[in-house]
Amino acid sequence: MDFPRALRDRRTRLRLSQLDLALRAGTTQRHLSFIESGRSAPGRTMVVRLAESLELPLRERNELLLAAGYAPAYPESSLDGPELAPVRAAIDRILRGHLPCPAIVVDRSGDLIATNSAFGLITEGAAPELVGPGRNVYRLALHPDGLAPRIRNLAEWARHILAGLGHLGDLREELSGYVPGLEPSAGQLGFAVPLHLCSPFGDLRLMTTVTTFATAVDVTLAELRLEAFLPADQETAEALSAAARPAGPTADQAPGNM
């Protein structure tokens, strides 16, 4: 990778002038101009400062360091490794804590890492090959064999998903082919775009929240997203509670038949 060009591309992508970035990084516009033109080779510390000033994801910070000829500064651990054992325990607690609301953990590509038991209410009826760890949740949402037939506001929800896939061009192109020509309905969307999903417990209106590990300095951890599906109305809250209740005893197990 050409470091001067990589730095310039990222700066212009964020619509920052050389002066803006120089002030953020504690250097001069002249020095930054020399770096971007290739007339000056930055030290490792300067590359880190520039990457931090651009607020780049950790993966891109490592890429800039490599482009400048330096070793990456941020590790990329395996989620199954001992280093991230506390993370796995924290994820389990968070997922359980969201019950009876569905919640999932995905990586930067939207591939599923973990779910709680309530997520089965959302995936019910989807093709098995679209469901489970390692499967892509965005494909699950918009594929005709996934959730799409059950999503009542598919146009709005598809637009919401596709808008967030700018860094995944191939996937965005594929998913766009599943929802051609859909036009969002006119009118007020309210305070958020809900997922309006039909289920055996009635129609669900779910709003999503995203949680990240804000202080992460490991690439794997920084790219994890916990998405929770919370009720947008009282009827949905009651439906989620009903779905979480264990089924009553069968006739063979009922009192008097034991």
Side-chain angles (χ1 to χ4, degrees), residues 15-258:
R15 299 182 179 180
L16 290 175
S17 67
Q18 285 186 341
L19 179 59
D20 290 335
L21 179 56
L23 290 173
R24 289 187 181 188
T27 188
T28 65
Q29 182 180 359
R30 178 183 175 86
H31 186 203
L32 181 57
S33 177
F34 276 28
I35 291 174
E36 288 193 353
S37 67
R39 297 169 63 187
S40 177
R44 178 184 174 86
T45 300
M46 176 55 70
V47 176
V48 172
R49 279 163 50 192
L50 289 169
E52 290 176 346
S53 299
L54 290 168
E55 299 181 351
L56 297 177
L58 300 189
R59 183 178 297 278
E60 288 196 48
R61 298 183 193 189
N62 278 346
E63 290 173 354
L64 271 187
L65 282 163
L66 286 169
Y70 300 109
Y74 306 96
E76 185 173 356
S77 306
S78 168
L79 191 57
D80 296 327
E83 302 89 350
L84 296 187
V87 173
R88 297 195 300 273
I91 287 173
D92 288 342
R93 285 195 293 271
I94 295 171
L95 289 174
R96 289 197 304 270
H98 275 89
L99 291 171
C101 299
I104 61 176
V105 175
V106 298
D107 65 14
R108 68 188 295 266
S109 299
D111 292 341
L112 188 65
I113 302 297
T115 76
N116 64 11
S117 57
F119 190 59
L121 181 62
I122 290 183
T123 63
E124 186 170 350
E129 62 269 19
L130 296 174
V131 180
R135 308 300 185 185
N136 190 272
V137 297
Y138 306 129
R139 182 177 291 111
L140 168 67
L142 301 186
H143 196 284
D145 293 331
L147 306 185
R150 296 171 51 212
I151 298 177
R152 297 197 182 278
N153 61 334
L154 182 59
E156 288 85 359
W157 191 248
R159 186 171 66 170
H160 165 68
I161 289 179
L162 294 174
L165 297 182
H167 65 300
L168 300 170
D170 290 344
L171 180 62
R172 192 180 194 281
E173 182 177 358
E174 175 197 339
L175 300 189
S176 297
Y178 297 144
V179 287
L182 288 180
E183 290 294 334
S185 58
Q188 178 58 252
L189 290 175
F191 57 84
V193 178
L195 171 60
H196 186 181
L197 188 72
C198 62
S199 82
F201 293 86
D203 280 7
L204 306 177
R205 290 175 174 81
L206 301 160
M207 56 184 177
T208 58
T209 63
V210 176
T211 302
T212 60
F213 290 86
T215 58
V217 292
D218 183 283
V219 174
T220 301
L221 180 56
E223 293 178 345
L224 293 182
R225 293 161 48 96
L226 187 145
E227 299 191 20
F229 297 80
L230 307 178
D233 55 34
Q234 184 59 33
E235 291 78 8
T236 299
E238 293 172 358
L240 292 176
S241 296
R245 285 195 290 268
T250 64
D252 291 338
Q253 296 172 325
N257 294 322
M258 300 296 287

